[in-house]
Amino acid sequence: MALLIMLVGEDPEPWKSVLSRLDPSLDIRVWPQVGDVEDIVFALVWNHPRGELRKYPNLKCIASMGAGVDHIIRDPELPAGVPVTRIVHESLTRSMTEYVIHAVLDHCRDMEKYRRDQAGKIWDPKFPRPRKEVGVGVMGLGELGAAAAIGLVELGYRVLGWSRTPKAISGVQTFWGMEQFSHFLSQTDILVCLLPLTPQTEGILNLETFRKLRPGAFLINVARGRHLIEEDLIVALDQGILSGARLDVFEVEPLPPEHPFWDHPKVQITPHVSSLTEPEAVAPQILENYERVLRGLEPVNQVDLQRGY
């Protein structure tokens, strides 16, 4: 029985190293050097090749290396009946909350303006808008979204939250379902996307959505690149519907050098770093699930494949 690491585009060695140290008896295979496919009972994956997971007849669990699982469930040849799990850990939640708060503060305190002013040797202080007047709308109130919303409440912002089903978070005005989506947007100055990627949420950041926000709203996308219609964002920025955008995720990653986002004066880019998985922190969770499936138990942090999260 073996655990397979299938990490495409990244170095698998940190994962192999920490798992081996925690359990020296573990039989770890690193794709594509798999050996006998019948040995594989557990696959730890990120951006696996489509159809690859069907090759392992004794597979008992497919584990995402991160909080998201869309990279797994969009595989049309995913083996039926095999549970899929995601990472739930305070390190991911903390990292995301830090990123969102930093992006909100950076925008509200006009730091982009001051960076431009420094380049031009311009001394032009500007008093920020009171936080209680700024509506920060968080789309998605799961583990990451709820934590970010609470952090913004603690800083004194007027926080709104929108989700698929009703949620209650202290200090957050919550909305749910498509029937309340427009009302949520109409009160939002800064829109933060932390939704899971599902067929219902793909492309939800579009021109129609942007037009329903408060004039000159700011977008922060830290969920998935496919939530955003990229051409619509450029139109919204050029027409002044949005004042700017902070983007950490993109439809194609790495972002191609010729992409217009690189040179757009109203777009800030980071290379998918808002919530990085630390192997050292989450490896015990992986090992727990590996041991559970060997004992015939259900893995923890299992996702609902129908809902997509």
Side-chain angles (χ1 to χ4, degrees), residues 28 49 105 125 133 148 225 239:
I28 299 177
L105 289 173
E133 297 180 5
Q239 293 185 1

Side-chain angles (χ1 to χ4, degrees), residues 14-303:
W15 287 95
K16 182 179 180 182
S17 176
V18 68
L19 289 168
S20 297
R21 179 166 48 80
L22 291 174
D23 184 355
S25 68
L26 200 61
D27 182 359
I28 299 177
R29 315 281 176 86
V30 177
W31 185 85
Q33 307 303 319
V34 175
D36 189 344
V37 295
E38 294 192 0
D39 294 342
I40 306 301
V41 297
F42 191 101
L44 179 60
V45 306
W46 190 260
N47 288 332
H48 70 279
R50 300 297 167 261
E52 179 67 23
L53 293 169
R54 290 182 64 89
K55 298 178 181 179
Y56 308 100
N58 297 317
L59 191 61
K60 300 181 185 300
C61 183
I62 302 166
S64 172
M65 288 181 174
V69 295
D70 54 284
H71 62 102
I72 295 174
I73 62 178
R74 67 172 177 247
D75 182 353
E77 299 183 63
L78 201 64
V82 179
V84 175
T85 65
R86 66 188 184 99
I87 296 294
V88 178
H89 194 272
E90 61 180 1
S91 62
L92 276 76
T93 305
R94 180 177 61 250
S95 177
M96 180 61 78
T97 299
E98 290 172 350
Y99 184 100
V100 170
I101 286 176
H102 176 274
V104 170
L105 289 173
D106 189 84
H107 173 68
C108 290
R109 295 301 304 269
D110 295 298
M111 292 302 171
E112 187 67 16
K113 162 188 154 43
Y114 295 133
R115 286 188 282 269
R116 293 193 303 268
D117 286 353
Q118 179 178 351
K121 301 180 181 178
I122 299 170
W123 186 275
D124 180 28
K126 183 178 179 181
F127 196 82
R129 183 178 171 189
R131 293 180 183 179
K132 63 181 180 180
E133 297 180 5
V134 179
V136 183
V138 179
M139 299 170 65
L141 297 175
E143 186 84 18
L144 300 180
I150 291 168
L152 291 164
V153 167
E154 292 173 349
L155 286 174
Y157 287 100
R158 187 170 65 84
V159 182
L160 309 98
W162 180 79
S163 55
R164 185 183 69 89
T165 56
K167 299 286 180 68
I169 301 174
S170 179
V172 179
Q173 184 181 0
T174 56
F175 303 81
W176 64 281
M178 292 309 299
E179 63 273 17
Q180 297 183 13
F181 189 46
S182 295
H183 190 39
F184 160 77
L185 295 172
S186 69
Q187 302 179 59
T188 296
D189 297 287
I190 301 173
L191 183 64
V192 181
C193 184
L194 272 163
L195 291 166
L197 183 64
T198 68
Q200 292 72 38
T201 64
E202 185 169 347
I204 197 169
L205 300 175
N206 54 49
L207 197 55
E208 181 182 359
T209 294
F210 301 148
R211 291 187 189 280
K212 293 178 180 178
L213 296 166
R214 284 184 167 178
F218 187 83
L219 172 68
I220 300 169
N221 188 17
V222 283
R224 287 291 183 265
R226 287 161 60 201
H227 283 120
L228 175 65
I229 304 297
E230 296 181 345
E231 298 82 359
D232 284 8
L233 175 58
I234 292 175
V235 171
L237 293 170
D238 290 347
Q239 293 185 1
I241 297 167
L242 297 180
S243 61
R246 168 77 71 91
L247 306 177
D248 185 56
V249 290
F250 305 90
E251 186 169 356
V252 177
E253 296 181 4
L255 189 65
E258 66 277 9
H259 199 288
F261 283 165
W262 284 113
D263 299 315
H264 200 289
K266 295 183 180 179
V267 176
Q268 303 165 22
I269 290 172
T270 54
H272 205 150
V273 295
S274 55
S275 185
L276 297 174
T277 305
E278 303 169 13
E280 188 76 32
V282 304
Q285 184 178 136
I286 299 299
L287 284 178
E288 178 188 356
N289 268 345
Y290 178 71
E291 292 163 1
R292 287 180 67 87
V293 299
L294 290 185
R295 299 199 304 269
L297 302 175
E298 288 289 317
V300 298
N301 300 324
Q302 190 170 335
V303 302

